[in-house]
C-alpha cells in the first residue's frame, strides 16, 4: 500500500481531531509529506529515506520538519496497530523535537509601549495576555457575558480560532483546567470596562474582540 493511500484514509478516519487540527494535518500531508514520500509503499520506507526527507525540509524550516516528522510517525504507529508494518521507519533521533530559541522577557515599560502601539480597538489584548495570562484563542473567544464586572473576574468558557479559509471556529476548553476563572487586576479591569463601552456590542453573547 502506498503511503498516500494509507495516510489519506488515516486522516479521514480521525474523527476525534478538532477541526483546526484536522485542517493542519491535511496541509502538512499535502505540502510536506505526500509530494516527497506519497508514492512510496509503507514497507518500502526506511530510516535512511525518512532521514533524507527530514533533512531536506529542516535545512530551511526546522520547525516544519519536526511537525511533519511527528505526523508521519503517528501514521506509522497506526500502520503497526493495523498489522501492516512490524516496525516504524521513523527512527531519526531528535527529528520530532522543536528547538525554540529562548524568548526574552518584556519589561513593564515595553508592555505598556506595545499596548499603546496597538490599534485602539485591540489595545486590550496586551494586558489580557500579559497580566491575565490568557491565550490568543481565549481572548478571541471572550464574550461580554464572560466578564464579571462586580467580582472583577473573567470566566474562560470558550476559545476562538480561524481556519485556513478564514472561517471562525469556536471551541470549548479541552480540559477542566482550561475552563477557569481569572481574577483581573484593577488597572486591567478599568481598561477592559472602557473597551466594552467603546467597542463591544451590548448583547451578552457579543464578542469582546471582533
Amino acid at each position: 500500500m502506498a503511503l498516500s493511500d494509507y495516510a489519506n484514509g488515516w486522516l479521514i478516519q480521525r474523527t476525534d481531531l478538532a477541526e483546526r487540527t484536522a485542517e493542519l494535518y491535511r496541509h502538512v500531508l499535502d505540502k510536506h509529506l505526500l509530494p516527497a514520500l506519497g508514492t512510496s509503499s509503507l514497507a518500502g520506507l526506511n530510516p535512511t529515506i525518512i532521514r533524507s526527507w527530514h533533512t531536506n525540509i529542516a535545512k530551511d524550516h526546522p520547525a516544519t520538519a519536526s511537525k511533519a516528522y511527528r505526523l508521519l510517525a503517528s501514521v506509522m504507529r497506526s500502520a503497526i496497530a493495523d498489522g501492516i508494518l512490524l516496525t516504524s521507519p521513523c527512527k531519526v533521533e531528535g527529528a520530532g523535537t522543536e528547538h525554540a530559541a529562548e524568548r526574552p522577557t518584556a519589561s513593564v515599560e515595553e508592555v505598556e509601549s506595545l499596548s499603546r502601539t496597538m490599534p485602539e480597538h485591540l489595545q486590550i489584548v496586551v494586558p489580557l495576555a500579559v497580566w491575565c495570562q490568557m491565550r490568543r484563542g481565549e481572548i478571541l473567544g471572550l464574550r461580554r457575558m464572560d466578564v464579571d464586572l462586580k467580582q472583577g473576574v473573567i470566566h474562560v468558557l470558550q476559545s476562538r480560532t480561524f481556519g485556513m479559509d478564514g472561517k471562525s471556529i469556536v471551541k470549548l476548553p479541552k480540559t477542566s483546567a482550561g475552563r477557569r476563572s481569572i481574577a483581573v487586576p484593577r488597572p486591567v479591569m478599568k481598561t477592559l470596562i472602557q473597551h466594552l463601552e467603546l467597542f463591544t456590542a451590548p448583547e451578552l453573547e457579543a464578542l469582546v474582540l471582533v
Side-chain angles (χ1 to χ4, degrees):
M1 180 181 291
L3 173 63
S4 59
D5 294 334
Y6 184 81
N8 286 326
W10 175 87
L11 184 56
I12 291 172
Q13 294 170 8
R14 289 296 305 273
T15 55
D16 59 308
L17 296 176
E19 183 177 353
R20 185 69 180 89
T21 301
E23 188 178 57
L24 176 61
Y25 283 3
R26 180 76 267 168
H27 173 76
V28 173
L29 282 175
D30 291 343
K31 188 171 180 62
H32 302 291
L33 268 170
L34 300 185
L37 303 174
T39 59
S40 300
S41 67
L42 294 178
L45 293 171
N46 59 57
T48 301
I49 294 174
I50 302 302
R51 185 179 297 105
S52 176
W53 161 77
H54 176 267
T55 300
N56 285 336
I57 302 175
K59 289 177 183 177
D60 300 314
H61 307 286
T64 298
S66 297
K67 289 182 175 65
Y69 181 88
R70 290 197 299 270
L71 178 56
L72 178 60
S74 182
V75 173
M76 294 298 103
R77 286 194 295 271
S78 293
I80 293 172
D82 289 342
I84 299 173
L85 294 177
L86 293 177
T87 183
S88 172
C90 295
K91 301 181 184 298
V92 184
E93 186 174 352
T97 304
E98 294 184 43
H99 302 281
E102 185 175 348
R103 298 177 181 177
T105 301
S107 66
V108 174
E109 291 76 14
E110 289 171 330
V111 170
E112 293 177 349
S113 176
L114 175 60
S115 184
R116 290 193 300 268
T117 303
M118 297 283 284
E120 190 176 3
H121 68 288
L122 295 177
Q123 289 182 359
I124 189 60
V125 170
V126 177
L128 288 179
V130 174
W131 307 121
C132 297
Q133 295 293 290
M134 293 182 68
R135 303 178 181 90
R136 176 179 181 271
E138 294 171 345
I139 296 173
L140 291 175
L142 191 64
R143 299 163 297 184
R144 179 181 283 276
M145 63 188 291
D146 300 327
V147 182
D148 187 334
L149 300 179
K150 291 183 179 180
Q151 299 298 323
V153 169
I154 287 175
H155 302 291
V156 179
L157 302 176
Q158 66 176 26
S159 64
R160 183 166 63 109
T161 186
F162 296 91
M164 292 183 178
D165 59 357
K167 182 179 70 173
S168 178
I169 302 172
V170 176
K171 301 185 294 183
L172 299 178
K174 293 181 180 179
T175 64
S176 57
R179 186 185 179 96
R180 64 196 191 282
S181 297
I182 301 171
V184 183
R186 288 184 180 179
V188 178
M189 181 56 75
K190 180 180 178 181
T191 303
L192 179 55
I193 291 173
Q194 293 174 345
H195 176 92
L196 292 173
E197 292 173 349
L198 292 173
F199 304 111
T200 304
E203 293 80 14
L204 288 177
E205 294 191 357
L207 292 167
V208 173
L209 290 171
V210 294

